[in-house]
C-alpha cells in the first residue's frame, strides 16, 4: 500500500497498481483490476519481460515503496509514492537503473467508475490527459507515450544511474489542471513527512519494527481531513475464495474506536487520538436511537449497499459490493464501545471532555431502555437476532464506565440507576450466557457455539483473568475455534448457522491477537509469546496484515490492509513487552469496578 492520508493504492509484486480510488478512499476506483482484470483499470510498470519482483521493501519508516528486479540484462528499481496531498492527488513512480541495461514497459489503463467508464484520452506534448464525467487525470512522463485502446503504453530502457519519472495527477474535471509536481521532489517530501511523523512514536518494548510498521499503516488508513480511521483500504476481497462473504470496509466502525485509541495513546500519538475522538463525537452526535455501527469518512450516515455486476470479483469471488447494509442493523455493543472509548479518552492527558459527557448521557439513556433487546452482534450476522453475550457485556461496560465517570471524575448522572442496571446485566449474563457443564461463556444465551469476542470479557473488566469461568472460556475458545493456531470469529455451522450466510471464512487475525492477550492474562505467558511470534510471520513481505488468514494455504483473506489486525498487533506487543501497566491510564486493560457478582 501507498497513500496520501486521503486515499491509497495497492501495488502488486509485479509492479502493477491494481487498486486506487480517487480522490478519496471511498470514491469509485479508477484502477479496479484487483476485482477483475486489466480491462477494469491498472497501471503496470516493470521489466518488459514481466514477472514478479526479486525483492521489495518500504524505505525506512515511510510509505515509499521500493520494488526491484534482477534480470539477465541488469537490475532496476521502481520507487512508488503518494506525496502528502496538496492541491490534487498524485501518484509518483520513478524508475532507476541499478546495473546493466533493462528494457522496461509501462501500460496505464484508466477506467473510472470501478472499471465501468472508459475516459476520453488524449496525448499532448509531454503528457496525456483523460476525462470522464466528474473525473480528470493527467499523466506526465519522461518518455514518449503511445495511445492504444484508451490506454497509455511506453517501452524504454534504463542503464545504471539513469532515472525515468511518471506522475499521475487527479483533479475534479471542472477544475483547471493543477501544477505538475517534480517527481523527485515529491519523493523527498514524502520521505520527510513520514520521517518527521514517526518521531512522535513512544514505544520502547520488544518487536519495535513490527509496531512501527503497524502504526504507520494505521496512520495511512486515516482520512486526514476528518481524523476518521477506516477499517481497510479495499472492498469485496473475499473471506473465502469463490464465496459470497465479500464486504466494503472503506468506512469507519465505531467499535474500533476504543481499540484504536488504546494503540494510538499507548504509542504516543496524541494528535491522532484527539482527531479520532473528535470524529467519533461528530459521527455519534444526534438521536442516540439512530446510532449506527459505522459511518463514512466524514461521518456520512447513508451507506447503501449495491452490487457491481460488471466486476467478476477477486478470483471469481462475487458479488462485488459497495456500501454496507449492516448500517441498518441493531448492534447493542456499539453503544458500549462508544462510551468505553469516551471513558478511555477521559483518562488521557490533554483530551478535553466538555462535549463528551452530554453525548454520553444521551447514549446512556438509550442503553438503559434497550439493553435487554436481542441484536445482530458485533459480527454483523445476517441471521436471526439473538441475545449475544458480548453485546450484553458491552452494555454492562457502558453502565460501568458511566458509574466511574461519576465516582472518579465528579460528573453528574443517575449513578444509582446505573449501578443497579450494571449489576442486573452482570447477573443475567452469568446466569443465561454461561454453560456450567462446559465451563465457558457461550456466543448467545442458550447457544452451543462460541465466539472469539468472549476473549474480551476480562479486558473490559467484566470478570478478572483469574476467574475460573474466564480461564474455562479461554481454553474453550482455543479448543473449539482455533483453526490450526489461528482463531475463527465463530463456527459458521454452530446452532444451525448463526449468521445466515452460506460458506465459511478464514481465521480472523484480530481474534488471534485477542487469544495472545488472553493466554497472557490467564498466566500462560510463554505460549502467548510463541503465538505472537507466529502471527508476526503471517505478515506479508512488507509487514502488512489483511483481515483473515487461511493456515492451510498460507493466504491472506478479506480486505487489506486491515486496521483491526494492526491494532491487535500493537496492543498485544504492548502487553507482552510490558509497555503498559494497570496504573497507566492508556493501559490495554480497562479497569472495571465489578466485583465479579453473579
Amino acid at each position: 500500500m501507498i497513500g496520501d492520508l486521503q486515499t491509497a493504492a495497492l501495488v502488486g509484486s509485479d509492479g502493477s497498481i491494481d487498486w486506487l480510488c480517487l480522490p478519496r478512499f471511498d470514491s469509485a476506483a479508477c484502477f479496479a483490476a484487483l476485482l477483475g482484470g486489466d480491462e477494469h483499470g491498472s497501471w503496470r510498470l516493470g521489466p518488459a519481460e514481466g514477472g514478479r519482483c526479486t525483492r521489495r521493501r518500504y524505505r525506512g519508516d515511510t510509505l515509499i515503496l521500493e520494488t526491484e528486479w534482477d534480470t539477465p540484462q541488469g537490475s532496476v528499481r521502481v520507487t512508488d509514492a503518494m506525496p502528502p496531498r496538496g492541491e490534487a492527488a498524485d501518484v509518483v513512480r520513478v524508475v532507476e537503473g541499478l546495473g546493466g541495461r533493462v528494457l522496461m514497459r509501462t501500460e496505464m489503463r484508466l477506467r473510472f467508475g470501478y472499471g465501468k467508464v472508459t475516459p476520453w484520452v488524449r496525448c499532448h506534448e509531454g503528457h496525456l490527459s483523460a476525462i470522464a464525467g466528474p473525473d480528470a487525470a493527467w499523466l506526465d512522463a519522461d518518455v514518449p507515450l503511445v495511445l492504444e485502446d484508451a490506454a497509455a503504453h511506453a517501452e524504454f530502457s534504463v542503464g545504471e544511474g539513469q532515472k525515468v519519472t511518471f506522475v499521475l495527477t487527479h483533479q475534479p474535471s471542472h477544475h483547471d489542471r493543477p501544477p505538475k509536481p517534480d517527481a523527485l521532489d515529491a519523493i523527498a517530501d514524502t520521505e520527510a513527512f513520514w520521517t518527521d511523523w514517526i518521531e512522535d512514536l513512544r514505544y520502547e518494548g520488544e518487536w519495535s519494527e513490527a509496531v512501527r510498521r503497524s502504526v504507520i499503516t494505521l496512520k495511512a488508513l486515516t482520512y486526514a481531513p476528518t481524523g476518521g480511521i477506516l477499517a481497510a483500504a479495499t472492498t469485496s476481497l473475499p473471506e473465502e475464495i469463490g464465496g459470497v462473504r465479500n464486504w466494503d470496509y472503506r468506512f469507519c466502525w465505531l467499535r474500533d474506536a476504543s481499540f484504536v485509541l488504546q494503540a494510538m495513546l499507548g504509542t504516543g500519538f496524541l494528535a491522532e487520538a484527539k482527531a479520532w475522538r473528535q470524529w467519533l463525537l461528530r459521527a455519534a452526535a444526534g438521536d442516540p436511537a439512530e446510532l449506527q455501527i459505522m459511518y463514512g469518512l466524514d461521518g456520512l450516515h447513508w451507506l447503501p449497499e449495491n452490487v457491481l455486476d460488471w466486476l467478476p470479483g477477486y478470483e471469481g469471488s462475487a458479488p462485488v459490493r459497495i456500501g454496507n447494509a449492516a448500517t441498518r442493523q441493531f448492534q447493542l455493543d456499539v453503544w458500549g464501545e462508544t462510551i468505553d472509548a469516551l471513558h478511555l479518552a477521559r483518562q488521557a492527558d490533554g483530551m478535553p471532555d466538555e462535549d463528551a459527557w452530554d453525548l454520553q448521557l444521551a447514549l446512556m439513556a438509550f442503553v438503559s431502555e434497550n439493553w435487554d433487546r436481542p441484536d445482530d452482534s458485533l459480527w454483523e450476522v445476517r441471521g436471526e437476532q439473538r441475545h449475544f453475550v458480548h453485546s450484553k457485556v458491552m452494555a454492562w461496560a457502558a453502565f460501568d464506565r458511566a458509574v466511574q465517570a461519576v465516582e472518579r471524575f465528579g460528573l453528574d448522572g443517575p449513578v444509582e440507576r446505573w449501578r443497579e442496571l450494571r449489576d442486573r446485566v452482570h447477573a443475567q449474563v452469568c446466569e443465561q450466557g454461561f454453560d456450567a457443564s462446559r465451563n465457558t461463556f457461550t456466543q448467545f444465551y442458550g447457544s452451543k457455539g462460541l465466539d472469539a469476542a468472549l476473549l474480551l470479557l476480562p479486558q473490559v473488566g467484566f470478570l478478572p483473568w483469574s476467574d475460573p469461568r474466564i480461564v474455562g472460556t479461554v481454553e474453550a475458545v482455543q479448543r473449539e475455534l482455533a483453526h490450526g493456531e489461528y482463531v475463527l470469529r465463530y463456527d459458521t455451522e454452530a446452532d444451525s448457522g448463526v449468521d445466515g450466510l452460506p460458506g465459511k471464512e478464514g481465521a480472523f487475525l484480530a481474534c488471534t491477537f485477542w487469544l495472545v492477550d488472553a493466554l497472557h492474562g490467564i498466566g500462560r505467558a510463554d505460549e502467548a509469546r510463541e503465538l505472537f511470534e507466529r502471527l508476526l510471520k503471517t505478515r506479508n513481505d512488507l509487514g502488512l496484515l489483511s483481515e483473515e488468514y487461511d493456515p492451510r494455504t498460507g493466504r491472506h483473506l478479506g480486505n487489506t490492509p486491515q486496521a483491526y489486525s494492526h491494532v491487535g498487533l500493537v496492543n498485544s506487543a504492548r502487553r507482552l513487552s510490558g509497555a503498559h501497566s494497570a496504573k497507566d491510564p492508556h493501559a490495554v486493560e480497562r479497569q472495571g469496578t465489578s466485583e465479579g457478582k453473579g
Side-chain angles (χ1 to χ4, degrees), residues 382-568:
R382 301 200 176 192
E384 178 185 349
Q385 289 188 334
R386 315 267 193 169
H387 290 282
F388 287 95
V389 169
H390 173 263
S391 298
K392 293 293 190 276
V393 168
M394 291 314 301
W396 172 90
F399 295 125
D400 180 73
R401 303 318 186 249
V403 169
Q404 290 194 55
V406 174
E407 294 178 343
R408 296 176 56 190
F409 297 98
L411 298 171
D412 186 38
V415 67
E416 291 302 326
R417 173 165 169 74
W418 291 337
R419 287 195 190 103
E420 185 272 328
L421 288 171
R422 180 183 66 184
D423 292 344
R424 190 193 306 179
V425 176
H426 199 285
Q428 185 188 93
V429 170
C430 290
E431 178 182 352
Q432 300 184 46
F434 183 76
D435 185 341
S437 65
R438 296 159 61 204
N439 191 32
T440 183
F441 286 95
T442 58
Q443 184 172 28
F444 55 85
Y445 292 174
S447 170
K448 296 299 182 184
L450 298 177
D451 186 334
L454 299 171
L455 298 171
L456 300 176
L457 269 58
Q459 284 203 39
V460 299
F462 185 77
L463 287 171
W465 289 107
S466 59
D467 191 292
R469 291 167 292 185
I470 292 297
V471 176
T473 299
V474 173
E475 293 174 344
V477 168
Q478 186 179 29
R479 182 173 61 249
E480 298 185 26
L481 292 184
H483 188 179
E485 292 174 328
Y486 298 86
V487 179
L488 301 171
R489 295 188 294 179
Y490 52 87
D491 183 350
T492 57
E493 297 179 353
D495 300 301
S496 301
V498 67
D499 63 14
L501 293 167
K504 299 183 178 181
E505 60 183 28
F508 204 75
L509 290 173
C511 294
T512 311
F513 283 113
W514 296 347
L515 179 58
V516 169
D517 299 340
L519 291 170
H520 183 272
I522 65 172
R524 292 159 60 180
D526 290 344
E527 188 176 348
R529 292 175 67 89
E530 291 173 3
L531 178 56
F532 183 76
E533 293 281 3
R534 283 190 287 275
L535 279 167
L536 292 184
K537 294 177 181 178
T538 301
R539 299 178 302 156
N540 77 351
D541 56 325
L542 296 172
L544 301 178
L545 290 167
S546 299
E547 177 189 18
E548 298 182 1
Y549 180 72
D550 184 349
R552 297 171 303 177
T553 62
R555 296 187 64 172
H556 285 223
L557 297 170
N559 287 302
T560 193
Q562 178 83 359
Y564 224 16
S565 299
H566 286 280
V567 166

Side-chain angles (χ1 to χ4, degrees), residues 141-306:
D142 291 343
V143 294
L145 299 169
V146 177
L147 273 180
E148 180 181 341
D149 189 25
H153 303 260
E155 280 198 356
F156 58 96
S157 63
V158 291
E160 184 173 354
Q162 289 184 311
K163 293 182 179 179
V164 176
T165 68
F166 298 83
V167 179
L168 174 66
T169 300
H170 175 272
Q171 183 85 310
S173 59
H174 62 280
H175 289 181
D176 294 333
R177 182 187 177 183
K180 172 198 168 186
D182 179 272
L184 299 182
D185 287 346
I187 295 289
D189 291 344
T190 307
E191 183 170 12
F193 170 83
W194 287 104
T195 301
D196 290 345
W197 180 81
I198 199 67
E199 287 183 356
D200 288 337
L201 179 68
R202 298 295 178 266
Y203 179 81
E204 298 179 356
E206 297 176 74
W207 308 290
S208 176
E209 176 275 327
V211 169
R212 295 170 80 89
R213 179 49 52 188
S214 285
V215 295
I216 290 169
T217 303
L218 292 173
K219 177 67 171 177
L221 291 172
T222 301
Y223 183 62
T226 66
I229 300 176
L230 68 160
T234 57
T235 179
S236 298
L237 291 180
E239 297 174 8
E240 179 184 35
I241 300 297
V244 301
R245 297 170 182 261
N246 317 318
W247 317 108
D248 194 346
Y249 276 15
R250 297 171 299 158
F251 309 116
C252 305
W253 267 253
L254 293 192
R255 76 168 44 87
D256 297 2
S258 60
F259 291 100
V260 170
L261 282 172
Q262 289 172 42
M264 288 301 185
L265 289 171
T267 51
F269 293 105
L270 183 60
E272 283 72 19
K274 286 180 177 179
W276 174 232
R277 177 179 174 274
Q278 288 304 115
W279 178 92
L280 179 66
L281 288 172
R282 293 192 300 269
D287 186 346
E290 297 176 358
L291 190 71
Q292 297 181 180
I293 64 169
M294 74 183 84
Y295 295 88
L297 304 175
D298 50 8
L300 181 69
H301 287 230
W302 195 56
L303 305 173
E305 185 173 295
N306 295 291

Side-chain angles (χ1 to χ4, degrees), residues 63-85:
L63 214 65
I64 299 171
L65 178 64
E66 297 180 336
T67 306
E68 297 177 356
W69 288 263
D70 294 333
T71 74
Q73 294 75 37
S75 299
V76 66
R77 174 190 300 141
V78 173
T79 300
D80 291 322
M82 295 188 71
R85 184 76 63 96

Side-chain angles (χ1 to χ4, degrees), residues 569-581:
L569 186 156
V570 172
N571 288 336
S572 290
R574 293 181 59 234
R575 180 187 306 278
L576 295 181
S577 66
H580 76 280
S581 71

